[in-house]
Amino acid sequence: MKNAYTQPSNVALLVHTCDRYQFLYEGFGYFFNKYWDFDTNCQLYFATEDLKIEIPNFTNIRSGTGEWADRLRYLLKEVITEKYVIYFQEDMWLNKPVSANFFNQLFAMVNQRGLKQVKLTSAGIYQTHNTSTFIEGFNLALLNNQASGYLMSHQVTLWDREFLVAQLHKGEHPWRNERKGTKRLKKLNPEIYQIDYFAENGQPAININQPEAKPSEYNTVSANSMLQANTLPYIDELKQGGSKEQAYAQKLLNHYQNQLTHDGKPKPRKEDIFKKMKNWFK
């Protein structure tokens, strides 16, 4: 008899990108393939807009152009068919090993219980209540929705695909989706869970986990379309690789030192305060 580890996967890992950030794809792919455990029972998708690309071990899917929420909604409704989706973005670069055993146990549990959202990162904005459920020493904690911030966020999260689609309103850019989506979820008040599996940018755990819990980790290397200082350890590691990795490391270092955007342009001027306020309240 097949068990949860050998049955066909009903989980997709989706890396959701925009074509302007193509510069980051190589780094994401290199470190993902180094640290990801490919015994994890899920399908891997790398979603661009119009670009046709090759990332080792990923299937390239395309959304076409449009606003952030519209592109993601199209992918989830028309392209991806798996019941659950792990959401990633291209600037989230792994730097510690991932456990297939952890994820396969998580997938089996989520399937059995029909959970809608499990946040996989730690953040001080979340207020949680520990439960009696542990996976590899990590507690499956329940969010206090009214006391927590960013119920809708784009950090690494395991979603019921149809539940995620329902949070994507037409025309929403990423910041509006997080802001207004959080308000909608507070009103809806669903059960949202959180596990301290990924330490994002070194954030400490927020739950009472067991001593054997060994978190993975990633850094968000991009902000305001430019590389951040936490890219430097990745650059140092790439310099120790082959000629291809060394060449890419030099490109990354040039962008970082010269404050270039990911499409090679100079750092943009600060936006006029009135224009910023106008955009904020759209």
Side-chain angles (χ1 to χ4, degrees), residues 162-197:
E162 293 184 355
F163 184 70
L164 176 54
V165 168
Q167 314 315 315
L168 303 172
H169 285 207
K170 183 175 176 59
E172 287 185 336
H173 56 61
W175 304 277
R176 184 184 301 161
N177 175 256
E178 287 191 321
R179 191 171 66 251
K180 292 193 173 183
T182 293
K183 291 180 180 178
R184 294 192 293 263
L185 284 172
K186 281 183 180 286
K187 185 176 181 180
L188 183 63
N189 198 32
E191 286 190 347
I192 298 175
Y193 292 87
Q194 183 268 339
I195 296 178
D196 291 318
Y197 190 73

PDB file of all heavy atoms in Angstrom, residues 162-197:
ATOM      1  N   GLU A 162      -7.056  26.970  -3.137  1.00  0.00           N
ATOM      2  CA  GLU A 162      -8.303  27.707  -3.351  1.00  0.00           C
ATOM      3  C   GLU A 162      -8.497  28.792  -2.294  1.00  0.00           C
ATOM      4  O   GLU A 162      -9.056  29.859  -2.588  1.00  0.00           O
ATOM      5  CB  GLU A 162      -9.484  26.744  -3.367  1.00  0.00           C
ATOM      6  CG  GLU A 162      -9.468  25.805  -4.576  1.00  0.00           C
ATOM      7  CD  GLU A 162     -10.687  24.910  -4.636  1.00  0.00           C
ATOM      8  OE1 GLU A 162     -11.510  24.948  -3.682  1.00  0.00           O
ATOM      9  OE2 GLU A 162     -10.823  24.160  -5.620  1.00  0.00           O
ATOM     10  N   PHE A 163      -8.015  28.549  -1.078  1.00  0.00           N
ATOM     11  CA  PHE A 163      -8.103  29.561  -0.032  1.00  0.00           C
ATOM     12  C   PHE A 163      -7.207  30.749  -0.377  1.00  0.00           C
ATOM     13  O   PHE A 163      -7.593  31.917  -0.167  1.00  0.00           O
ATOM     14  CB  PHE A 163      -7.701  28.960   1.310  1.00  0.00           C
ATOM     15  CG  PHE A 163      -7.839  29.905   2.470  1.00  0.00           C
ATOM     16  CD1 PHE A 163      -9.085  30.294   2.927  1.00  0.00           C
ATOM     17  CD2 PHE A 163      -6.709  30.396   3.110  1.00  0.00           C
ATOM     18  CE1 PHE A 163      -9.215  31.166   4.002  1.00  0.00           C
ATOM     19  CE2 PHE A 163      -6.832  31.267   4.185  1.00  0.00           C
ATOM     20  CZ  PHE A 163      -8.081  31.655   4.632  1.00  0.00           C
ATOM     21  N   LEU A 164      -6.012  30.474  -0.924  1.00  0.00           N
ATOM     22  CA  LEU A 164      -5.128  31.555  -1.345  1.00  0.00           C
ATOM     23  C   LEU A 164      -5.756  32.355  -2.484  1.00  0.00           C
ATOM     24  O   LEU A 164      -5.709  33.593  -2.479  1.00  0.00           O
ATOM     25  CB  LEU A 164      -3.766  30.998  -1.764  1.00  0.00           C
ATOM     26  CG  LEU A 164      -2.751  32.010  -2.323  1.00  0.00           C
ATOM     27  CD1 LEU A 164      -2.530  33.179  -1.368  1.00  0.00           C
ATOM     28  CD2 LEU A 164      -1.429  31.316  -2.640  1.00  0.00           C
ATOM     29  N   VAL A 165      -6.353  31.671  -3.449  1.00  0.00           N
ATOM     30  CA  VAL A 165      -7.005  32.374  -4.561  1.00  0.00           C
ATOM     31  C   VAL A 165      -8.036  33.368  -4.028  1.00  0.00           C
ATOM     32  O   VAL A 165      -8.158  34.502  -4.515  1.00  0.00           O
ATOM     33  CB  VAL A 165      -7.669  31.370  -5.530  1.00  0.00           C
ATOM     34  CG1 VAL A 165      -8.593  32.095  -6.515  1.00  0.00           C
ATOM     35  CG2 VAL A 165      -6.608  30.586  -6.297  1.00  0.00           C
ATOM     36  N   ALA A 166      -8.773  32.967  -3.005  1.00  0.00           N
ATOM     37  CA  ALA A 166      -9.821  33.829  -2.448  1.00  0.00           C
ATOM     38  C   ALA A 166      -9.255  35.093  -1.805  1.00  0.00           C
ATOM     39  O   ALA A 166      -9.988  36.074  -1.621  1.00  0.00           O
ATOM     40  CB  ALA A 166     -10.647  33.048  -1.430  1.00  0.00           C
ATOM     41  N   GLN A 167      -7.961  35.098  -1.472  1.00  0.00           N
ATOM     42  CA  GLN A 167      -7.338  36.270  -0.853  1.00  0.00           C
ATOM     43  C   GLN A 167      -6.748  37.229  -1.890  1.00  0.00           C
ATOM     44  O   GLN A 167      -6.192  38.266  -1.518  1.00  0.00           O
ATOM     45  CB  GLN A 167      -6.226  35.838   0.121  1.00  0.00           C
ATOM     46  CG  GLN A 167      -6.579  34.715   1.073  1.00  0.00           C
ATOM     47  CD  GLN A 167      -7.928  34.854   1.716  1.00  0.00           C
ATOM     48  OE1 GLN A 167      -8.300  35.936   2.186  1.00  0.00           O
ATOM     49  NE2 GLN A 167      -8.704  33.765   1.733  1.00  0.00           N
ATOM     50  N   LEU A 168      -6.861  36.896  -3.165  1.00  0.00           N
ATOM     51  CA  LEU A 168      -6.241  37.687  -4.222  1.00  0.00           C
ATOM     52  C   LEU A 168      -7.322  38.470  -4.967  1.00  0.00           C
ATOM     53  O   LEU A 168      -7.982  37.946  -5.853  1.00  0.00           O
ATOM     54  CB  LEU A 168      -5.480  36.770  -5.194  1.00  0.00           C
ATOM     55  CG  LEU A 168      -4.413  35.890  -4.556  1.00  0.00           C
ATOM     56  CD1 LEU A 168      -3.862  34.897  -5.569  1.00  0.00           C
ATOM     57  CD2 LEU A 168      -3.293  36.729  -3.957  1.00  0.00           C
ATOM     58  N   HIS A 169      -7.490  39.726  -4.602  1.00  0.00           N
ATOM     59  CA  HIS A 169      -8.507  40.556  -5.230  1.00  0.00           C
ATOM     60  C   HIS A 169      -7.945  41.258  -6.464  1.00  0.00           C
ATOM     61  O   HIS A 169      -6.771  41.634  -6.496  1.00  0.00           O
ATOM     62  CB  HIS A 169      -9.052  41.573  -4.233  1.00  0.00           C
ATOM     63  CG  HIS A 169      -9.986  40.959  -3.219  1.00  0.00           C
ATOM     64  ND1 HIS A 169     -10.984  41.673  -2.606  1.00  0.00           N
ATOM     65  CD2 HIS A 169     -10.080  39.685  -2.741  1.00  0.00           C
ATOM     66  CE1 HIS A 169     -11.655  40.871  -1.781  1.00  0.00           C
ATOM     67  NE2 HIS A 169     -11.112  39.666  -1.842  1.00  0.00           N
ATOM     68  N   LYS A 170      -8.772  41.438  -7.440  1.00  0.00           N
ATOM     69  CA  LYS A 170      -8.365  41.966  -8.744  1.00  0.00           C
ATOM     70  C   LYS A 170      -7.654  43.312  -8.589  1.00  0.00           C
ATOM     71  O   LYS A 170      -8.106  44.201  -7.882  1.00  0.00           O
ATOM     72  CB  LYS A 170      -9.583  42.126  -9.654  1.00  0.00           C
ATOM     73  CG  LYS A 170      -9.253  42.604 -11.057  1.00  0.00           C
ATOM     74  CD  LYS A 170     -10.491  42.626 -11.929  1.00  0.00           C
ATOM     75  CE  LYS A 170     -10.200  43.197 -13.318  1.00  0.00           C
ATOM     76  NZ  LYS A 170      -9.165  42.411 -14.026  1.00  0.00           N
ATOM     77  N   GLY A 171      -6.507  43.427  -9.280  1.00  0.00           N
ATOM     78  CA  GLY A 171      -5.791  44.686  -9.361  1.00  0.00           C
ATOM     79  C   GLY A 171      -4.920  45.027  -8.169  1.00  0.00           C
ATOM     80  O   GLY A 171      -4.326  46.108  -8.143  1.00  0.00           O
ATOM     81  N   GLU A 172      -4.787  44.136  -7.184  1.00  0.00           N
ATOM     82  CA  GLU A 172      -4.000  44.462  -6.000  1.00  0.00           C
ATOM     83  C   GLU A 172      -2.508  44.278  -6.258  1.00  0.00           C
ATOM     84  O   GLU A 172      -2.075  43.234  -6.727  1.00  0.00           O
ATOM     85  CB  GLU A 172      -4.422  43.589  -4.808  1.00  0.00           C
ATOM     86  CG  GLU A 172      -5.768  43.982  -4.223  1.00  0.00           C
ATOM     87  CD  GLU A 172      -6.125  43.196  -2.979  1.00  0.00           C
ATOM     88  OE1 GLU A 172      -5.600  42.076  -2.803  1.00  0.00           O
ATOM     89  OE2 GLU A 172      -6.927  43.702  -2.183  1.00  0.00           O
ATOM     90  N   HIS A 173      -1.734  45.326  -5.944  1.00  0.00           N
ATOM     91  CA  HIS A 173      -0.276  45.156  -5.948  1.00  0.00           C
ATOM     92  C   HIS A 173       0.121  44.489  -4.635  1.00  0.00           C
ATOM     93  O   HIS A 173      -0.712  44.349  -3.717  1.00  0.00           O
ATOM     94  CB  HIS A 173       0.446  46.485  -6.179  1.00  0.00           C
ATOM     95  CG  HIS A 173       0.099  47.576  -5.204  1.00  0.00           C
ATOM     96  ND1 HIS A 173       0.312  47.480  -3.848  1.00  0.00           N
ATOM     97  CD2 HIS A 173      -0.440  48.809  -5.411  1.00  0.00           C
ATOM     98  CE1 HIS A 173      -0.054  48.590  -3.245  1.00  0.00           C
ATOM     99  NE2 HIS A 173      -0.539  49.413  -4.168  1.00  0.00           N
ATOM    100  N   PRO A 174       1.376  44.039  -4.480  1.00  0.00           N
ATOM    101  CA  PRO A 174       1.743  43.228  -3.308  1.00  0.00           C
ATOM    102  C   PRO A 174       1.464  43.905  -1.973  1.00  0.00           C
ATOM    103  O   PRO A 174       0.974  43.270  -1.037  1.00  0.00           O
ATOM    104  CB  PRO A 174       3.242  42.979  -3.501  1.00  0.00           C
ATOM    105  CG  PRO A 174       3.480  43.126  -4.957  1.00  0.00           C
ATOM    106  CD  PRO A 174       2.506  44.151  -5.435  1.00  0.00           C
ATOM    107  N   TRP A 175       1.768  45.195  -1.850  1.00  0.00           N
ATOM    108  CA  TRP A 175       1.623  45.877  -0.566  1.00  0.00           C
ATOM    109  C   TRP A 175       0.146  46.063  -0.217  1.00  0.00           C
ATOM    110  O   TRP A 175      -0.253  45.892   0.922  1.00  0.00           O
ATOM    111  CB  TRP A 175       2.359  47.214  -0.625  1.00  0.00           C
ATOM    112  CG  TRP A 175       3.787  46.997  -1.004  1.00  0.00           C
ATOM    113  CD1 TRP A 175       4.827  46.647  -0.175  1.00  0.00           C
ATOM    114  CD2 TRP A 175       4.332  47.039  -2.330  1.00  0.00           C
ATOM    115  NE1 TRP A 175       5.978  46.484  -0.899  1.00  0.00           N
ATOM    116  CE2 TRP A 175       5.711  46.727  -2.223  1.00  0.00           C
ATOM    117  CE3 TRP A 175       3.808  47.335  -3.590  1.00  0.00           C
ATOM    118  CZ2 TRP A 175       6.559  46.678  -3.330  1.00  0.00           C
ATOM    119  CZ3 TRP A 175       4.652  47.292  -4.696  1.00  0.00           C
ATOM    120  CH2 TRP A 175       6.011  46.965  -4.557  1.00  0.00           C
ATOM    121  N   ARG A 176      -0.663  46.388  -1.219  1.00  0.00           N
ATOM    122  CA  ARG A 176      -2.094  46.522  -0.972  1.00  0.00           C
ATOM    123  C   ARG A 176      -2.692  45.164  -0.601  1.00  0.00           C
ATOM    124  O   ARG A 176      -3.563  45.079   0.265  1.00  0.00           O
ATOM    125  CB  ARG A 176      -2.800  47.095  -2.200  1.00  0.00           C
ATOM    126  CG  ARG A 176      -4.296  47.349  -1.976  1.00  0.00           C
ATOM    127  CD  ARG A 176      -4.956  47.810  -3.254  1.00  0.00           C
ATOM    128  NE  ARG A 176      -4.353  49.032  -3.758  1.00  0.00           N
ATOM    129  CZ  ARG A 176      -4.483  49.460  -5.021  1.00  0.00           C
ATOM    130  NH1 ARG A 176      -5.178  48.749  -5.891  1.00  0.00           N
ATOM    131  NH2 ARG A 176      -3.927  50.591  -5.410  1.00  0.00           N
ATOM    132  N   ASN A 177      -2.220  44.109  -1.247  1.00  0.00           N
ATOM    133  CA  ASN A 177      -2.738  42.781  -0.941  1.00  0.00           C
ATOM    134  C   ASN A 177      -2.434  42.391   0.500  1.00  0.00           C
ATOM    135  O   ASN A 177      -3.303  41.856   1.207  1.00  0.00           O
ATOM    136  CB  ASN A 177      -2.152  41.752  -1.902  1.00  0.00           C
ATOM    137  CG  ASN A 177      -2.565  40.336  -1.559  1.00  0.00           C
ATOM    138  OD1 ASN A 177      -1.785  39.564  -1.021  1.00  0.00           O
ATOM    139  ND2 ASN A 177      -3.819  39.992  -1.840  1.00  0.00           N
ATOM    140  N   GLU A 178      -1.218  42.666   0.960  1.00  0.00           N
ATOM    141  CA  GLU A 178      -0.887  42.332   2.349  1.00  0.00           C
ATOM    142  C   GLU A 178      -1.700  43.177   3.326  1.00  0.00           C
ATOM    143  O   GLU A 178      -2.190  42.671   4.335  1.00  0.00           O
ATOM    144  CB  GLU A 178       0.610  42.530   2.593  1.00  0.00           C
ATOM    145  CG  GLU A 178       1.481  41.468   1.952  1.00  0.00           C
ATOM    146  CD  GLU A 178       2.915  41.534   2.410  1.00  0.00           C
ATOM    147  OE1 GLU A 178       3.452  42.651   2.578  1.00  0.00           O
ATOM    148  OE2 GLU A 178       3.524  40.466   2.602  1.00  0.00           O
ATOM    149  N   ARG A 179      -1.844  44.466   3.006  1.00  0.00           N
ATOM    150  CA  ARG A 179      -2.535  45.379   3.911  1.00  0.00           C
ATOM    151  C   ARG A 179      -4.035  45.088   3.975  1.00  0.00           C
ATOM    152  O   ARG A 179      -4.600  44.873   5.041  1.00  0.00           O
ATOM    153  CB  ARG A 179      -2.280  46.816   3.440  1.00  0.00           C
ATOM    154  CG  ARG A 179      -2.696  47.895   4.416  1.00  0.00           C
ATOM    155  CD  ARG A 179      -2.200  49.258   3.957  1.00  0.00           C
ATOM    156  NE  ARG A 179      -2.812  49.708   2.716  1.00  0.00           N
ATOM    157  CZ  ARG A 179      -2.193  49.790   1.542  1.00  0.00           C
ATOM    158  NH1 ARG A 179      -0.928  49.406   1.436  1.00  0.00           N
ATOM    159  NH2 ARG A 179      -2.820  50.227   0.467  1.00  0.00           N
ATOM    160  N   LYS A 180      -4.674  45.080   2.803  1.00  0.00           N
ATOM    161  CA  LYS A 180      -6.119  44.871   2.768  1.00  0.00           C
ATOM    162  C   LYS A 180      -6.478  43.404   3.001  1.00  0.00           C
ATOM    163  O   LYS A 180      -7.518  43.098   3.583  1.00  0.00           O
ATOM    164  CB  LYS A 180      -6.686  45.371   1.440  1.00  0.00           C
ATOM    165  CG  LYS A 180      -6.603  46.888   1.289  1.00  0.00           C
ATOM    166  CD  LYS A 180      -7.439  47.390   0.123  1.00  0.00           C
ATOM    167  CE  LYS A 180      -7.480  48.910   0.096  1.00  0.00           C
ATOM    168  NZ  LYS A 180      -8.349  49.420  -1.001  1.00  0.00           N
ATOM    169  N   GLY A 181      -5.599  42.503   2.521  1.00  0.00           N
ATOM    170  CA  GLY A 181      -5.837  41.084   2.749  1.00  0.00           C
ATOM    171  C   GLY A 181      -5.831  40.737   4.225  1.00  0.00           C
ATOM    172  O   GLY A 181      -6.606  39.887   4.686  1.00  0.00           O
ATOM    173  N   THR A 182      -4.955  41.398   4.998  1.00  0.00           N
ATOM    174  CA  THR A 182      -4.924  41.181   6.438  1.00  0.00           C
ATOM    175  C   THR A 182      -6.231  41.635   7.079  1.00  0.00           C
ATOM    176  O   THR A 182      -6.784  40.944   7.949  1.00  0.00           O
ATOM    177  CB  THR A 182      -3.730  41.919   7.068  1.00  0.00           C
ATOM    178  OG1 THR A 182      -2.513  41.308   6.605  1.00  0.00           O
ATOM    179  CG2 THR A 182      -3.768  41.853   8.576  1.00  0.00           C
ATOM    180  N   LYS A 183      -6.753  42.778   6.656  1.00  0.00           N
ATOM    181  CA  LYS A 183      -8.035  43.257   7.192  1.00  0.00           C
ATOM    182  C   LYS A 183      -9.159  42.269   6.879  1.00  0.00           C
ATOM    183  O   LYS A 183     -10.020  41.987   7.725  1.00  0.00           O
ATOM    184  CB  LYS A 183      -8.362  44.635   6.620  1.00  0.00           C
ATOM    185  CG  LYS A 183      -7.445  45.745   7.106  1.00  0.00           C
ATOM    186  CD  LYS A 183      -7.832  47.083   6.496  1.00  0.00           C
ATOM    187  CE  LYS A 183      -6.916  48.202   6.989  1.00  0.00           C
ATOM    188  NZ  LYS A 183      -7.267  49.508   6.367  1.00  0.00           N
ATOM    189  N   ARG A 184      -9.131  41.734   5.653  1.00  0.00           N
ATOM    190  CA  ARG A 184     -10.177  40.776   5.282  1.00  0.00           C
ATOM    191  C   ARG A 184     -10.077  39.506   6.116  1.00  0.00           C
ATOM    192  O   ARG A 184     -11.089  38.947   6.553  1.00  0.00           O
ATOM    193  CB  ARG A 184     -10.061  40.450   3.784  1.00  0.00           C
ATOM    194  CG  ARG A 184     -10.355  41.630   2.866  1.00  0.00           C
ATOM    195  CD  ARG A 184     -10.518  41.193   1.419  1.00  0.00           C
ATOM    196  NE  ARG A 184      -9.295  40.691   0.818  1.00  0.00           N
ATOM    197  CZ  ARG A 184      -8.474  41.429   0.065  1.00  0.00           C
ATOM    198  NH1 ARG A 184      -8.733  42.721  -0.161  1.00  0.00           N
ATOM    199  NH2 ARG A 184      -7.400  40.896  -0.476  1.00  0.00           N
ATOM    200  N   LEU A 185      -8.856  39.030   6.350  1.00  0.00           N
ATOM    201  CA  LEU A 185      -8.682  37.806   7.130  1.00  0.00           C
ATOM    202  C   LEU A 185      -9.033  38.009   8.605  1.00  0.00           C
ATOM    203  O   LEU A 185      -9.546  37.095   9.255  1.00  0.00           O
ATOM    204  CB  LEU A 185      -7.255  37.281   6.987  1.00  0.00           C
ATOM    205  CG  LEU A 185      -6.939  36.589   5.659  1.00  0.00           C
ATOM    206  CD1 LEU A 185      -5.446  36.293   5.544  1.00  0.00           C
ATOM    207  CD2 LEU A 185      -7.739  35.299   5.509  1.00  0.00           C
ATOM    208  N   LYS A 186      -8.751  39.189   9.142  1.00  0.00           N
ATOM    209  CA  LYS A 186      -9.143  39.455  10.526  1.00  0.00           C
ATOM    210  C   LYS A 186     -10.665  39.383  10.668  1.00  0.00           C
ATOM    211  O   LYS A 186     -11.186  38.882  11.666  1.00  0.00           O
ATOM    212  CB  LYS A 186      -8.616  40.811  10.977  1.00  0.00           C
ATOM    213  CG  LYS A 186      -7.138  40.807  11.371  1.00  0.00           C
ATOM    214  CD  LYS A 186      -6.695  42.157  11.881  1.00  0.00           C
ATOM    215  CE  LYS A 186      -5.220  42.160  12.269  1.00  0.00           C
ATOM    216  NZ  LYS A 186      -4.946  41.455  13.521  1.00  0.00           N
ATOM    217  N   LYS A 187     -11.347  39.882   9.651  1.00  0.00           N
ATOM    218  CA  LYS A 187     -12.810  39.838   9.682  1.00  0.00           C
ATOM    219  C   LYS A 187     -13.320  38.406   9.516  1.00  0.00           C
ATOM    220  O   LYS A 187     -14.244  37.969  10.209  1.00  0.00           O
ATOM    221  CB  LYS A 187     -13.378  40.739   8.582  1.00  0.00           C
ATOM    222  CG  LYS A 187     -14.890  40.855   8.592  1.00  0.00           C
ATOM    223  CD  LYS A 187     -15.366  41.835   7.528  1.00  0.00           C
ATOM    224  CE  LYS A 187     -16.887  41.970   7.554  1.00  0.00           C
ATOM    225  NZ  LYS A 187     -17.366  42.936   6.513  1.00  0.00           N
ATOM    226  N   LEU A 188     -12.694  37.660   8.620  1.00  0.00           N
ATOM    227  CA  LEU A 188     -13.087  36.275   8.382  1.00  0.00           C
ATOM    228  C   LEU A 188     -12.726  35.377   9.555  1.00  0.00           C
ATOM    229  O   LEU A 188     -13.452  34.444   9.901  1.00  0.00           O
ATOM    230  CB  LEU A 188     -12.409  35.774   7.100  1.00  0.00           C
ATOM    231  CG  LEU A 188     -12.743  34.363   6.627  1.00  0.00           C
ATOM    232  CD1 LEU A 188     -14.227  34.260   6.266  1.00  0.00           C
ATOM    233  CD2 LEU A 188     -11.871  33.991   5.420  1.00  0.00           C
ATOM    234  N   ASN A 189     -11.564  35.649  10.169  1.00  0.00           N
ATOM    235  CA  ASN A 189     -11.060  34.949  11.359  1.00  0.00           C
ATOM    236  C   ASN A 189     -10.954  33.434  11.175  1.00  0.00           C
ATOM    237  O   ASN A 189     -11.466  32.657  11.983  1.00  0.00           O
ATOM    238  CB  ASN A 189     -11.947  35.259  12.570  1.00  0.00           C
ATOM    239  CG  ASN A 189     -11.238  34.927  13.884  1.00  0.00           C
ATOM    240  OD1 ASN A 189     -10.015  35.028  13.998  1.00  0.00           O
ATOM    241  ND2 ASN A 189     -12.009  34.531  14.891  1.00  0.00           N
ATOM    242  N   PRO A 190     -10.226  32.980  10.136  1.00  0.00           N
ATOM    243  CA  PRO A 190     -10.029  31.535   9.965  1.00  0.00           C
ATOM    244  C   PRO A 190      -8.948  31.027  10.905  1.00  0.00           C
ATOM    245  O   PRO A 190      -8.219  31.815  11.518  1.00  0.00           O
ATOM    246  CB  PRO A 190      -9.556  31.437   8.512  1.00  0.00           C
ATOM    247  CG  PRO A 190      -8.773  32.709   8.325  1.00  0.00           C
ATOM    248  CD  PRO A 190      -9.507  33.756   9.122  1.00  0.00           C
ATOM    249  N   GLU A 191      -8.827  29.711  11.020  1.00  0.00           N
ATOM    250  CA  GLU A 191      -7.710  29.139  11.768  1.00  0.00           C
ATOM    251  C   GLU A 191      -6.447  29.252  10.907  1.00  0.00           C
ATOM    252  O   GLU A 191      -6.383  28.722   9.800  1.00  0.00           O
ATOM    253  CB  GLU A 191      -7.982  27.674  12.113  1.00  0.00           C
ATOM    254  CG  GLU A 191      -8.998  27.487  13.223  1.00  0.00           C
ATOM    255  CD  GLU A 191      -9.062  26.041  13.694  1.00  0.00           C
ATOM    256  OE1 GLU A 191      -8.515  25.149  13.006  1.00  0.00           O
ATOM    257  OE2 GLU A 191      -9.675  25.791  14.745  1.00  0.00           O
ATOM    258  N   ILE A 192      -5.448  29.967  11.424  1.00  0.00           N
ATOM    259  CA  ILE A 192      -4.164  30.131  10.745  1.00  0.00           C
ATOM    260  C   ILE A 192      -3.087  29.576  11.675  1.00  0.00           C
ATOM    261  O   ILE A 192      -3.053  29.906  12.871  1.00  0.00           O
ATOM    262  CB  ILE A 192      -3.877  31.608  10.418  1.00  0.00           C
ATOM    263  CG1 ILE A 192      -4.943  32.156   9.463  1.00  0.00           C
ATOM    264  CG2 ILE A 192      -2.477  31.772   9.804  1.00  0.00           C
ATOM    265  CD1 ILE A 192      -4.814  33.647   9.188  1.00  0.00           C
ATOM    266  N   TYR A 193      -2.216  28.744  11.128  1.00  0.00           N
ATOM    267  CA  TYR A 193      -1.176  28.108  11.923  1.00  0.00           C
ATOM    268  C   TYR A 193       0.202  28.635  11.529  1.00  0.00           C
ATOM    269  O   TYR A 193       0.376  29.228  10.455  1.00  0.00           O
ATOM    270  CB  TYR A 193      -1.241  26.592  11.768  1.00  0.00           C
ATOM    271  CG  TYR A 193      -2.486  25.991  12.387  1.00  0.00           C
ATOM    272  CD1 TYR A 193      -3.673  25.881  11.664  1.00  0.00           C
ATOM    273  CD2 TYR A 193      -2.466  25.549  13.710  1.00  0.00           C
ATOM    274  CE1 TYR A 193      -4.819  25.354  12.248  1.00  0.00           C
ATOM    275  CE2 TYR A 193      -3.605  25.016  14.299  1.00  0.00           C
ATOM    276  CZ  TYR A 193      -4.777  24.925  13.562  1.00  0.00           C
ATOM    277  OH  TYR A 193      -5.898  24.408  14.143  1.00  0.00           O
ATOM    278  N   GLN A 194       1.158  28.413  12.411  1.00  0.00           N
ATOM    279  CA  GLN A 194       2.525  28.893  12.172  1.00  0.00           C
ATOM    280  C   GLN A 194       3.518  27.917  12.780  1.00  0.00           C
ATOM    281  O   GLN A 194       3.290  27.361  13.864  1.00  0.00           O
ATOM    282  CB  GLN A 194       2.705  30.293  12.776  1.00  0.00           C
ATOM    283  CG  GLN A 194       4.072  30.932  12.540  1.00  0.00           C
ATOM    284  CD  GLN A 194       5.049  30.646  13.669  1.00  0.00           C
ATOM    285  OE1 GLN A 194       4.649  30.328  14.784  1.00  0.00           O
ATOM    286  NE2 GLN A 194       6.329  30.739  13.376  1.00  0.00           N
ATOM    287  N   ILE A 195       4.617  27.696  12.063  1.00  0.00           N
ATOM    288  CA  ILE A 195       5.715  26.831  12.506  1.00  0.00           C
ATOM    289  C   ILE A 195       7.023  27.583  12.303  1.00  0.00           C
ATOM    290  O   ILE A 195       7.220  28.234  11.264  1.00  0.00           O
ATOM    291  CB  ILE A 195       5.743  25.504  11.708  1.00  0.00           C
ATOM    292  CG1 ILE A 195       4.469  24.688  11.960  1.00  0.00           C
ATOM    293  CG2 ILE A 195       6.967  24.671  12.069  1.00  0.00           C
ATOM    294  CD1 ILE A 195       4.401  23.397  11.173  1.00  0.00           C
ATOM    295  N   ASP A 196       7.934  27.470  13.254  1.00  0.00           N
ATOM    296  CA  ASP A 196       9.216  28.183  13.185  1.00  0.00           C
ATOM    297  C   ASP A 196      10.228  27.470  12.284  1.00  0.00           C
ATOM    298  O   ASP A 196      11.404  27.361  12.650  1.00  0.00           O
ATOM    299  CB  ASP A 196       9.821  28.298  14.589  1.00  0.00           C
ATOM    300  CG  ASP A 196       9.037  29.227  15.501  1.00  0.00           C
ATOM    301  OD1 ASP A 196       8.618  30.294  15.040  1.00  0.00           O
ATOM    302  OD2 ASP A 196       8.858  28.868  16.684  1.00  0.00           O
ATOM    303  N   TYR A 197       9.806  26.990  11.113  1.00  0.00           N
ATOM    304  CA  TYR A 197      10.736  26.164  10.349  1.00  0.00           C
ATOM    305  C   TYR A 197      11.824  26.983   9.662  1.00  0.00           C
ATOM    306  O   TYR A 197      13.001  26.620   9.700  1.00  0.00           O
ATOM    307  CB  TYR A 197      10.005  25.302   9.313  1.00  0.00           C
ATOM    308  CG  TYR A 197      10.967  24.299   8.718  1.00  0.00           C
ATOM    309  CD1 TYR A 197      11.397  23.210   9.475  1.00  0.00           C
ATOM    310  CD2 TYR A 197      11.526  24.480   7.457  1.00  0.00           C
ATOM    311  CE1 TYR A 197      12.334  22.326   8.985  1.00  0.00           C
ATOM    312  CE2 TYR A 197      12.463  23.596   6.955  1.00  0.00           C
ATOM    313  CZ  TYR A 197      12.866  22.522   7.727  1.00  0.00           C
ATOM    314  OH  TYR A 197      13.804  21.659   7.245  1.00  0.00           O
TER     315      TYR A 197
END
